[in-house]
Amino acid sequence: MPITPLTPDKLRLVCDASQFEFATTADLMPRTTIIGQPRGTRAIEFGMGIQSHGYNIYALGQMGTGRATALERFLQNHAVNMPRPSDWVYVHNFETPHQPRALELAAGEGKLFQERMGRLLADLQNELPRAFDTDSYRDAVRDMRVQFERQRDELLRQMQEQATQVGFALLNTPSGLVAGPVREGQPLTMQDVEQMTPEQRLVLEQAQIQLNEALDETLDEIRVREGKARTQVEQVDREVAAAAIKHCFTQMRGMYEGKTAVLTYLNALHDDVLNSLDTFAPADDEDGQPPDLRRYEVNLLVNNAETQGAPVIMEMNPTYFNLFGRIEYEMVNGMAMTHFTNIKCGALHWANGGFLLLYAADLLKYPDAWDALKRALKSAQILVQQPNIFNENAPVLAKSLSPEPIPLQVKIVLLGNPELYYALYHRDEEFSELFKVRADFDSRMLRTLESELAYAEFVATRCHEENLRHFDKTAVAKVIEHGARLAEEQAYLSTKFGAIADLVREASFWAGINGRSLVTAADVAQAIAERTERNNHVEKRIQESILKNTIFIATDGEVVGQVNGLTIIDLGDYTFGQPGRITARTYMGEDGVVHIERQTEMSGPIHDKGLLTLMGYLGGTYARSQPLSLSASLTFEQNYGGIDGDSASSTELYALLSSLAELPIQQGIAVTGSVNQRGEVQPIGGVNEKIEGFFKICAARRLTGKQGVLIPASNVDELMLDEAVVTAVSANQFHIWSITTVDEGMEVLTGVPAGERNPDGSYPEGTVHRLVQDRLLKLALDLKSFGNEGDDDDEEKED
């Protein structure tokens, strides 16, 4: 039965714009839900709902599927109804200064607390100097000082009288006050002492020792009384200061009644102020250094005053410092110093109480950040520390801080591809415990009326949010058709919304260039064409080489053992199909099928598998009752870059069968499809690009009405061909045949039926298989005959 070409309606599933009730996308509301990902959405909702340890989320999917944008928006819609997380501040730890304390305050209270503390400090600086600048205070201090001085003078007078009675006096020396012998009011010299008799010197020395012991006791008593006087002054100072600042702290404590941590800090601050009154004393002169009051400041680390609901944070550069914050340093007198006010927050602080989105590949570039994140999730704490603190061998470059950890309650959402997920799952034993929720995001979704309307809403969202020109319904239909092309199947739409968004932006631009206020289908088509034009430089160069016959590709006539195969070239941002000539030569021998690319190590393992499959087909089809004895060579002509894949295995088989049967093949027909050992043609990738690649060459040379492409029948549902190809097929100028077996392909290529096996194992006369079978038998007999002649020659030589 003849194989008929596909009809135009099979080549492209057109979107019917009349099904839409809206006139333009301006009639549609922006979409805030995730499009076409029910499985991924359910997983995300599950991960958000369960609060147990380890239920963080890994969102699988390829880049460009719009996961990040859709997830961020989805989480924001959910988070807006969640409670706002607390503010966090760091304050000085008066007991252990290198361990600043973390205080938790209600959302918006952190900034208020900082401002109140600033006013409190200003009040202290104002009230304390004023409290000590009173006559009553000065009189009280002076009275205590005068009293002490009187007591001191009296003790010294009594000591002086005691010394005078024995001929001594109290003398001031560099080492302090001492008792020394005098005569007529003048200290004795060394000569005076030497002129004394030994008995006199002994009496003098004993008296001096006794006086100095008494003097020491007197001086000790003076010091004790001086200490008591100082204590009395300090007590007065504390009482005066406490009275002066009582109302300030009473007011502050009243504002934070019931907040134990804040009250504890305020009490410690109050005691420190009373113990450091000199800090608040005014400078003695204009050049005096201002007092260092930084320890009374408040470091507002996290301020959620403006946050609506729970935070949703996307950290694009997840270094250790960007995630966990940092402690900054200052150079003071050539030394690196720091202070608790230099503690800066990271993304974990901002996301605490909400959600943090991270790209897994970016995070794993920083092993210290990944390890620290796992520690934070396991301990449910955020530590602000230098990353080298976890390395015992790292040098300590400066005195640092150990801030009090902040409790962590965050849901981490990692975004990455499946390969990275499985690598982490198998190689990192902590990963499966910390990321228990896997959310799959597919790169395509079923094409239904509902999903097409979702596409329209996506276009409307981009227009509303980016202030683009709105699309009429025909333009939306064209975008949907492009989405099906990206999905590589008529029944599906691509969820690579990054590419769709780019198309929307570009179509809006071209509508403006064309002077239209609404984007039409023509503008969308122009945007697609312009993008192709920007990226197809390599494709055009190859086409030019083919058209100039620098690369040999025939598009008409008939040739034995020569077929146009189709390959895909992927440049990353642009993929196109290219025809390539495959030739086969068969001859007498027993080497089997030799592929030149395989022999020269220019082929990959998948291609080599296809070649061995081809040998299986030949043996199963033609060697049931006769030997398979042949030598054949196959090659991709003018191939210098290597090949892989099995999509050309059917093409190689057609070339080999043509050579064996000595049947010419139509050169206006190109072929793609892999083949199995039973001769069934299997699906391949890139079917649209392959067809269009050959069509462009044929169209450039002139369509004859006999040209076309053979594709596997299982690829028909993937056809979303360019409208130029569909138009040519409609005009009967180009054809596309879908086939299921090699037999059908040979009939199209040669015009000769393949033939069905007779009960005796032979094939009908005039069929392809009969011609191949006869040729193989002849090659085997000729080889055997040639071998026998050689044996006869050997026997004659022996005779």
Side-chain angles (χ1 to χ4, degrees):
M1 181 178 178
I3 307 300
T4 58
L6 296 175
T7 56
D9 61 295
K10 299 290 186 181
L11 308 182
R12 181 184 182 93
L13 182 56
V14 178
C15 178
D16 183 9
S18 64
Q19 67 181 326
F20 299 129
E21 297 180 358
F22 62 88
T24 72
T25 53
D27 302 331
L28 300 175
M29 295 296 293
R31 188 180 181 97
T32 58
T33 57
I34 299 176
I35 300 175
Q37 302 289 354
R39 179 185 301 173
T41 303
R42 284 196 301 272
I44 295 295
E45 291 174 342
F46 170 74
M48 290 190 303
I50 190 166
Q51 299 302 318
S52 299
H53 172 74
Y55 282 85
N56 297 292
I57 302 165
Y58 190 104
L60 289 81
Q62 298 299 328
M63 290 293 293
T65 57
R67 283 173 309 160
T69 302
L71 267 175
E72 187 173 10
R73 189 165 300 173
F74 180 81
L75 293 174
Q76 286 171 346
N77 292 335
H78 176 82
V80 74
N81 298 316
M82 294 173 62
R84 284 194 301 171
S86 303
D87 289 349
W88 285 93
V89 301
Y90 271 115
V91 294
H92 184 66
N93 187 336
F94 297 101
E95 294 181 358
T96 314
H98 74 281
Q99 295 179 340
R101 297 187 59 196
L103 298 181
E104 181 180 11
L105 298 165
E109 288 289 325
K111 181 67 174 176
L112 191 58
F113 180 69
Q114 185 184 51
E115 293 172 351
R116 288 170 176 170
M117 285 300 301
R119 288 194 294 269
L120 174 63
L121 183 58
D123 290 343
L124 294 177
Q125 290 178 287
N126 181 52
E127 294 291 340
L128 287 173
R130 191 166 60 185
F132 293 106
D133 189 20
T134 63
D135 292 337
S136 59
Y137 169 75
R138 284 190 289 268
D139 291 343
V141 172
R142 183 174 62 251
D143 291 344
M144 286 183 284
R145 186 178 297 115
V146 169
Q147 182 181 4
F148 162 70
E149 290 174 351
R150 287 174 179 171
Q151 293 173 349
R152 180 194 62 190
D153 293 345
E154 177 62 22
L155 289 172
L156 291 175
R157 186 189 64 76
Q158 293 175 3
M159 188 66 218
Q160 181 66 43
E161 288 180 355
Q162 183 179 352
T164 302
Q165 291 175 0
V166 293
F168 279 78
L170 300 181
L171 304 175
N172 282 314
T173 67
S175 61
L177 194 65
V178 296
V182 296
R183 182 183 296 165
E184 296 179 356
Q186 296 298 321
L188 294 181
T189 65
M190 290 298 296
Q191 289 180 340
D192 295 336
V193 174
E194 290 175 354
Q195 292 174 358
M196 293 180 179
T197 64
E199 292 79 6
Q200 291 175 327
R201 284 200 297 271
L202 179 60
V203 171
L204 182 67
E205 290 175 357
Q206 291 177 346
Q208 188 174 21
I209 291 173
Q210 292 175 353
L211 284 174
N212 279 329
E213 290 177 351
L215 178 60
D216 288 342
E217 293 177 357
T218 299
L219 292 176
D220 287 342
E221 179 65 20
I222 291 173
R223 292 189 189 98
V224 169
R225 295 192 180 191
E226 184 181 19
K228 290 180 178 180
R230 188 182 302 112
T231 301
Q232 289 176 340
V233 172
E234 290 176 352
Q235 184 61 32
V236 170
D237 287 347
R238 288 179 67 89
E239 291 173 356
V240 170
I245 64 177
K246 179 179 180 180
H247 70 283
C248 300
F249 279 91
T250 300
Q251 185 178 11
M252 281 292 289
R253 291 188 182 103
M255 294 176 182
Y256 295 97
E257 185 176 357
K259 298 181 179 179
T260 305
V262 178
L263 292 176
T264 300
Y265 167 70
L266 290 175
N267 292 336
L269 186 148
H270 178 271
D271 293 343
D272 187 75
V273 169
L274 296 182
N275 293 331
S276 310
L277 292 176
D278 290 344
T279 305
F280 295 90
D284 294 336
D285 52 55
E286 294 182 357
D287 297 330
Q289 294 294 324
D292 183 8
L293 301 176
R294 290 181 67 188
R295 67 180 181 276
Y296 301 127
E297 295 179 7
V298 173
N299 181 0
L300 179 56
L301 194 74
V302 180
N303 181 11
N304 283 310
E306 303 297 328
T307 304
Q308 301 296 321
V312 178
I313 305 297
M314 167 71 82
E315 177 54 59
M316 301 301 293
N317 185 26
T319 64
Y320 178 89
F321 292 122
N322 287 352
L323 286 179
F324 291 89
R326 70 186 73 224
I327 302 174
E328 296 181 346
Y329 287 81
E330 304 168 350
M331 295 303 296
V332 179
N333 298 325
M335 296 183 62
M337 305 292 288
T338 190
H339 192 264
F340 79 89
T341 56
N342 290 338
I343 302 173
K344 309 299 179 184
C345 75
L348 277 174
H349 296 95
W350 284 116
N352 202 6
F355 305 91
L356 177 60
L357 287 79
L358 303 168
Y359 282 105
D362 293 336
L363 177 61
L364 294 176
K365 292 177 183 176
Y366 308 101
D368 54 345
W370 171 238
D371 291 339
L373 178 62
K374 291 187 291 183
R375 281 193 297 270
L377 293 175
K378 287 187 292 184
S379 64
Q381 290 182 335
I382 310 173
L383 286 172
V384 183
Q385 293 177 315
Q386 295 297 103
N388 61 9
I389 199 163
F390 306 110
N391 183 357
E392 297 179 354
N393 299 320
V396 178
L397 301 179
K399 185 177 180 181
S400 187
L401 300 174
S402 296
E404 182 180 359
I406 292 176
L408 176 63
Q409 186 178 5
V410 69
K411 192 72 69 173
I412 303 293
V413 181
L414 283 183
L415 298 99
N417 57 43
E419 294 80 9
L420 190 53
Y421 172 83
Y422 291 116
L424 288 171
Y425 192 89
H426 291 294
R427 298 178 186 176
D428 191 326
E429 60 184 13
E430 297 172 311
F431 175 76
S432 60
E433 292 299 318
L434 296 174
F435 291 86
K436 296 182 179 180
V437 181
R438 163 180 162 170
D440 282 309
F441 282 77
D442 201 351
S443 60
R444 63 181 192 173
M445 61 182 177
L446 278 173
R447 183 178 178 180
T448 62
L449 179 58
E450 181 183 0
S451 61
E452 289 184 344
L453 183 58
Y455 247 57
E457 291 173 343
F458 175 80
V459 174
T461 303
R462 298 275 58 78
C463 294
H464 283 295
E465 293 186 355
E466 300 183 27
N467 198 27
L468 304 175
R469 292 172 177 82
H470 280 281
F471 285 48
D472 67 18
K473 60 174 63 178
T474 65
V476 171
K478 191 65 68 176
V479 172
I480 291 171
E481 291 174 14
H482 185 68
R485 169 63 181 254
L486 293 178
E488 297 184 341
E489 191 159 352
Q490 295 177 0
Y492 286 84
L493 292 175
S494 172
T495 57
K496 294 181 178 179
F497 289 106
I500 300 300
D502 289 341
L503 177 60
V504 172
R505 298 181 187 105
E506 293 169 20
S508 174
F509 169 80
W510 289 113
I513 295 296
N514 296 329
R516 284 190 276 268
S517 59
L518 276 179
V519 180
T520 65
D523 299 316
V524 177
Q526 183 177 359
I528 296 172
E530 292 286 348
R531 181 185 298 178
T532 300
E533 184 66 24
R534 292 193 301 271
N535 297 326
N536 69 350
H537 175 69
V538 175
E539 180 185 23
K540 283 193 170 183
R541 291 290 299 273
I542 294 174
Q543 290 175 358
E544 290 173 1
S545 298
I546 293 174
L547 296 176
K548 291 191 299 185
N549 292 321
T550 303
I551 298 176
F552 295 163
I553 297 293
T555 53
D556 57 14
E558 299 177 338
V559 180
V560 173
Q562 178 175 297
V563 186
N564 287 324
L566 295 171
T567 60
I568 282 288
I569 296 179
D570 188 350
L571 301 179
D573 59 347
Y574 185 68
T575 303
F576 63 92
Q578 173 190 343
R581 175 176 291 180
I582 297 175
T583 59
R585 301 298 298 271
T586 53
Y587 40 87
M588 186 172 62
E590 294 183 314
D591 295 334
V593 178
V594 176
H595 205 293
I596 295 175
E597 274 73 15
R598 183 183 184 188
Q599 294 299 110
T600 56
E601 298 182 352
M602 294 176 65
S603 62
I606 299 177
H607 175 268
D608 295 343
K609 174 179 178 291
L611 177 64
L612 297 175
T613 301
L614 184 151
M615 287 296 298
Y617 170 82
L618 291 177
T621 305
Y622 303 112
R624 293 186 178 183
S625 57
Q626 65 184 58
L628 184 63
S629 177
L630 83 158
S631 289
S633 64
L634 282 168
T635 188
F636 282 74
E637 303 289 357
Q638 296 182 285
N639 169 50
Y640 309 107
I643 57 172
D644 200 6
D646 64 349
S647 65
S649 57
S650 67
T651 311
E652 294 168 332
L653 182 55
Y654 294 139
L656 189 59
L657 294 178
S658 169
S659 178
L660 287 169
E662 298 181 338
L663 283 174
I665 285 179
Q666 297 288 336
Q667 297 301 291
I669 302 175
V671 179
T672 185
S674 69
V675 67
N676 62 25
Q677 293 188 110
R678 303 180 65 86
E680 297 168 328
V681 178
Q682 301 171 142
I684 44 81
V687 64
N688 293 294
E689 290 81 0
K690 289 178 177 180
I691 293 172
E692 291 166 358
F694 188 65
F695 171 79
K696 291 174 183 177
I697 299 299
C698 294
R701 285 180 171 169
R702 187 180 63 86
L703 295 175
T704 63
K706 298 181 180 180
Q707 298 148 330
V709 177
L710 280 180
I711 66 169
S714 49
N715 282 116
V716 171
D717 290 340
E718 300 174 8
L719 293 177
M720 282 298 295
L721 290 168
D722 186 81
E723 292 180 358
V725 180
V726 178
T727 301
V729 170
S730 299
N732 206 31
Q733 292 295 302
F734 195 76
H735 309 286
I736 298 170
W737 294 271
S738 66
I739 58 172
T740 57
T741 64
V742 170
D743 290 358
E744 295 174 348
M746 283 301 294
E747 184 171 345
V748 174
L749 291 169
T750 64
V752 177
E756 296 184 6
R757 188 188 299 274
N758 293 322
D760 61 358
S762 64
Y763 290 95
E765 290 286 344
T767 62
V768 174
H769 289 314
R770 179 58 178 269
L771 293 172
V772 173
Q773 191 176 48
D774 291 348
R775 176 75 188 286
L776 288 172
L777 181 60
K778 183 176 184 304
L779 288 173
L781 294 175
D782 289 348
L783 180 63
K784 182 178 180 180
S785 175
F786 183 80
N788 291 336
E789 291 178 2
D791 293 340
D792 293 342
D793 292 341
D794 291 339
E795 292 176 1
E796 290 176 2
K797 289 179 180 179
E798 291 175 2
D799 292 341

